[in-house]
Structures are given as C-alpha cells and as structure tokens.
Amino acid sequence: MSDPSWAVQKAIFTALNGNVKWNGATVPVYDNVPQDAAYPYVSFDEQLSVEADYLAERKDDRTFYLSVWSNQPGKKQVLEIMAALDALLHRKRFTMDVGYMVTCYVARKSTQRDIDRVTYQGFVTLRIVTTH
C-alpha cells in the first residue's frame, strides 16, 4: 500500500479548513502561505514519520507540526486559535484516502514572539498513528 503522508495532511486540512474560528471569523489554513496572506492564519509545517511496526501490518508513528501566526499585540489571539485547533483535532480519528488513522492527539502547544518583535507564532504538535 502507498505511503499515507499526503493522505494525513489532506485529512487534517479537511478537518480544519473553514472550521478554525477566532472572534467569529474563519482563520485560513495554508500548506503554501501566499505572500500577501492576512493575519491570523494556520500553516502546515514539518511532518516526521517513524516506523512503529509491531507484528504484520505497517504502522507509522507520525509527528505533525502546525503553526499559528498572528500580528495582534500579545499572545491572546495565538492561544485562542491554538485552543480551537486542539478542540478540532485532539483525540479524533479522520478518514483518509490511503491508509487508516488510528489516533490523532495534540501532544504539545507552545508560543514565541517572532524575531521582528511584532508577530507571534504558536506551535501545535500532533502525534498521529497510521497503518497502511
């Protein structure tokens, strides 16, 4: 069976696209952020896959990274959008067109101010187990 890496990303995108809200407005989700993208937004970052076979089936333990970007003063907007991501993704299982998602957990959340001292970035780390 084919590697489900792209299927995982598509499933996460489908779960988030149009569903991430802040103050009643939809927060866009991007794989390739446009140059003129307005804040706030969520972007797909790194994806790491480690083999986790135990018996006969192929199993992968995946770490999937999302970033939240904001130019609002302070961390409030970033933290609230990260909470929305948590509500949409934690302990959920999404249908994929290749493979099967066993689990999806929000494993870690953190924030930092960007080097420009204006923009804030939030990091949401997902742990996803798939079989294929």
Side-chain angles (χ1 to χ4, degrees):
M1 184 180 281
S2 298
D3 180 279
S5 295
W6 182 243
V8 169
Q9 183 164 323
K10 288 192 307 185
I12 298 301
F13 179 81
T14 299
L16 297 179
N17 191 38
N19 296 315
V20 181
K21 307 285 185 190
W22 187 78
N23 272 359
T26 300
V27 177
V29 179
Y30 298 112
D31 179 26
N32 185 24
V33 180
Q35 290 267 340
D36 60 347
Y39 292 101
Y41 62 86
V42 175
S43 64
F44 286 95
D45 289 328
E46 187 177 356
Q47 186 178 155
L48 172 70
S49 178
V50 177
E51 176 273 325
D53 295 349
Y54 295 108
L55 297 171
E57 69 182 344
R58 176 66 190 260
K59 185 180 279 187
D60 295 315
D61 193 345
R62 299 171 182 278
T63 306
F64 198 94
Y65 300 92
L66 299 170
S67 288
V68 176
W69 294 91
S70 169
N71 63 355
Q72 292 289 309
K75 297 176 188 166
K76 183 179 189 292
Q77 186 178 53
V78 166
L79 291 170
E80 290 179 352
I81 294 170
M82 288 169 50
L85 294 176
D86 190 291
L88 290 167
L89 299 173
H90 187 63
R91 293 185 176 265
K92 301 289 184 358
R93 185 179 300 152
F94 304 104
T95 303
M96 303 188 320
D97 56 6
V98 174
Y100 176 77
M101 186 177 293
V102 178
T103 60
C104 177
Y105 292 95
V106 174
R108 180 175 180 232
K109 296 182 282 190
S110 64
T111 62
Q112 75 176 23
R113 188 183 325 212
D114 195 59
I115 195 167
D116 67 8
R117 311 274 308 147
V118 174
T119 309
Y120 275 90
Q121 184 179 9
F123 305 94
V124 177
T125 304
L126 305 177
R127 179 174 177 256
I128 301 171
V129 176
T130 59
T131 60
H132 59 105

